[in-house]
Amino acid sequence: MTDRIVMSLEEVDALVRHALEANGASPVQARAVARIVTMAERDICESHGLFRVPGYVASLRSGKVDGKAVPVLSQPAPSVIAVDAKKGFAPLALETGLGPLADLAHETGVAALAVRRCHHFAALWPEVETLAEAGLVGLAVTAATPMVAPAGGTRPLYGTNPVAFAFPRDDQPPMAFDMASAAMARGDIMIHAREAEPVPEGVGIGPDGAPTTDPAAVLAGAQLPFGGYKGAAIALMVELLAGAVIGDLFSFEAGRGLKDGGPPEGGEFVLALDPARFGHGRDWVARAETLFAEIAAIEGTRLPGDRRIANRAKTARDGITAKAPLLAEIRSLAGEPT
Amino acid sequence: MTDRIVMSLEEVDALVRHALEANGASPVQARAVARIVTMAERDICESHGLFRVPGYVASLRSGKVDGKAVPVLSQPAPSVIAVDAKKGFAPLALETGLGPLADLAHETGVAALAVRRCHHFAALWPEVETLAEAGLVGLAVTAATPMVAPAGGTRPLYGTNPVAFAFPRDDQPPMAFDMASAAMARGDIMIHAREAEPVPEGVGIGPDGAPTTDPAAVLAGAQLPFGGYKGAAIALMVELLAGAVIGDLFSFEAGRGLKDGGPPEGGEFVLALDPARFGHGRDWVARAETLFAEIAAIEGTRLPGDRRIANRAKTARDGITAKAPLLAEIRSLAGEPT
């Protein structure tokens, strides 16, 4: 097993900011990315944590991402907020749009946020959790580069096309899930490949179109959607929302871009709902708790996101552990002594 | 094989209206249900067609459904339409709300419709197709009675909790999918049970919690979500949207109601988006066509709903075929000579 180094969350945050700023990102862009990476490490979501930093840096070095971009906010319709990320990273564009989106949803009952021309390389649960912490129900989807075969197909067309959803809870963090419409998240397959561990059957096919459990073959071939044609329908819906609806690229178009290992260009669709504006006068958060209690009463079940929330107590106390070679690589990218 | 009787779509519509009116439904309630049943037969979606009529009638005879209910429309927030179905059937309540929802979405960019206190027994693609025909993107979800086990669980809690989505197309019917978050639609399992045909593995578990391919055992035990815990997360999201958000029952609550074989009481959440109001100025329908063309270019693929659309040409020309015993039963319920 690779050596692991203990770090505090503050050290993670500072290192990521430093690595990005040292490679041309503005302090605000770097801070927004560092916040998201640190949240992933806090929740022990390794595949969206420090693991992504070399990719962020590569996209700055290649010039694909504008590390100094200033997102521009607009309101094209009474219940729609748009943010042009100006080819910067997604986190700052999302921060720019989420506050206005939340205000608008509280006012109109339902509102949408279109983030365009951003470079997304993170999980989606941070944005839907942010909405849920503001007392809203949040839904977010984004496309990526072609990695997943459509139903019945033998070559990739869709991104892993995650769907994230969050719901506020009484006196505890929101219930949130964030799942790829691929059978396995690409980050997890990348980690399997790095560790030379096979992936389960049904995760993907090789470049020859035949099923395989070799993660490297899946990365070179195509991932499969979860749940067959139904997961493929979800992936298609995500492409249409994050592509055609908001006016940004489909995965197959983003795949034509520069190959630097960093985040592709694309958009994100976010929806916010305020159930208090639906006219029923019910305590909707308490209502949801009755459902959560019914789920908990069935043996063997747990709510989505429970593990992440439990991890927070652990990392707040003990810090996180980073793999030594990855940490050395990031320090080197930051121009720090390794 | 059971004898089948050829009927025109007009004959289907008239028979359903007659069966419902003969059992106390108002002409407008009967007409709205008949329209939906006839659309299902038109598309050869047998499990939501005439097959459902005995259940509709049973719920009128038991007094559970108010066949003369007049839905009441309101607008609780600037982007939210609510319809109180007053314990009538869903189709008339949906008809009442869909026009105002479409108008609102064109005005504000995104709008939601909450249909409450209805009895739903139909597919959801008719409502999302209606929105797509009005030039909008439509999403609809509804819960039901407990039939599906949550992730890891061994007894039912969720309904089959369908998700329907539709997107307009150039010069042809909308692309629409409508899929249960259960591995198999309950109507299909009911048809398998009636025909004594086994269901595939992964569709459900028996009353003992053990996997089975016996459709009757699955109906008595629990269905399973599609795609494991990811499909279960979709089912949970549907419960929260169609229950807590809009202010109606969860499946486990609706399951406590009268058992007459008819539609349960519950609500439906519908979302409409107007991509033309998202400020990008792109021809979003044409953009989607480029994605559909990419999908079509991959061998082995087809778009969701293609088969239904193809069936329309066939049934418009040849009519539909109904099973003789079912037809006799419905005629008997209608007080017609069988």
Side-chain angles (χ1 to χ4, degrees), chain B:
Chain B
M1 178 152 175
T2 315
D3 281 349
R4 302 193 71 119
I5 314 288
V6 177
M7 299 175 76
S8 71
L9 294 173
E10 292 71 23
E11 287 169 330
V12 171
D13 185 73
L15 175 62
V16 179
R17 278 191 286 123
H18 192 191
L20 269 69
E21 287 190 46
N23 287 279
S26 66
V28 282
Q29 284 275 353
R31 185 195 51 71
V33 170
R35 180 173 164 270
I36 293 297
V37 168
T38 304
M39 285 171 77
E41 290 288 343
R42 178 199 66 187
D43 288 9
I44 315 187
C45 296
E46 206 180 346
S47 62
H48 287 103
L50 290 168
F51 179 63
R52 296 278 175 176
V53 175
Y56 280 115
V57 170
S59 68
L60 289 169
R61 291 188 173 184
S62 74
K64 184 178 75 181
V65 170
D66 179 357
K68 300 194 191 313
V70 179
V72 175
L73 184 86
S74 62
Q75 187 180 356
S79 288
V80 181
I81 299 285
V83 174
D84 182 344
K86 299 280 184 186
K87 303 209 175 201
F89 293 119
L92 185 61
L94 284 159
E95 278 186 24
T96 304
L98 283 172
L101 174 68
D103 290 346
L104 198 54
H106 283 305
E107 186 187 316
T108 68
V110 52
L113 165 65
V115 175
R116 286 192 280 270
R117 294 209 295 164
C118 70
H119 286 84
H120 208 301
F121 217 36
L124 304 190
W125 55 259
E127 39 265 38
V128 291
E129 276 197 10
T130 297
L131 292 172
E133 282 161 1
L136 298 163
V137 177
L139 175 76
V141 300
T142 188
T145 53
M147 295 179 278
V148 175
T154 54
R155 60 181 174 83
L157 180 72
Y158 301 138
T160 51
N161 292 9
V163 176
F165 179 79
F167 204 96
R169 298 200 63 180
D170 269 336
D171 303 322
Q172 55 187 305
M175 186 288 293
F177 67 77
D178 175 6
M179 60 190 199
S181 50
M184 182 179 267
R186 190 146 189 107
D188 286 336
I189 300 178
M190 290 160 74
I191 286 177
H192 277 75
R194 202 183 56 189
E195 320 256 307
E197 283 171 10
V199 294
E201 281 180 33
V203 164
I205 53 183
D208 56 356
T212 179
T213 61
D214 174 0
V218 172
L219 292 173
Q223 292 180 241
L224 291 175
F226 83 98
Y229 77 93
K230 292 191 178 189
I234 300 283
L236 173 58
M237 177 175 74
V238 170
E239 291 283 338
L240 290 167
L241 291 172
V245 169
I246 70 167
D248 212 309
L249 302 177
F250 297 120
S251 296
F252 80 89
E253 296 165 329
R256 292 177 188 147
L258 194 59
K259 298 287 193 290
D260 56 15
E265 184 179 342
E268 180 170 340
F269 171 88
V270 186
L271 186 78
L273 298 161
D274 185 354
R277 304 303 308 279
F278 275 62
H280 46 74
R282 287 180 156 192
D283 182 343
W284 55 280
V285 175
R287 288 277 302 139
E289 291 295 339
T290 68
L291 177 64
F292 297 146
E294 287 289 318
I295 295 169
I298 300 181
E299 203 181 346
T301 62
R302 62 180 180 84
L303 281 187
D306 271 3
R307 202 172 294 157
R308 279 197 302 106
I309 292 167
N311 286 343
R312 288 177 195 177
K314 182 179 178 317
T315 57
R317 186 184 64 231
D318 304 336
I320 65 110
T321 67
K323 291 191 172 167
L326 176 63
L327 199 56
E329 182 185 0
I330 297 171
R331 284 187 174 142
S332 164
L333 293 170
E336 292 181 3
T338 60

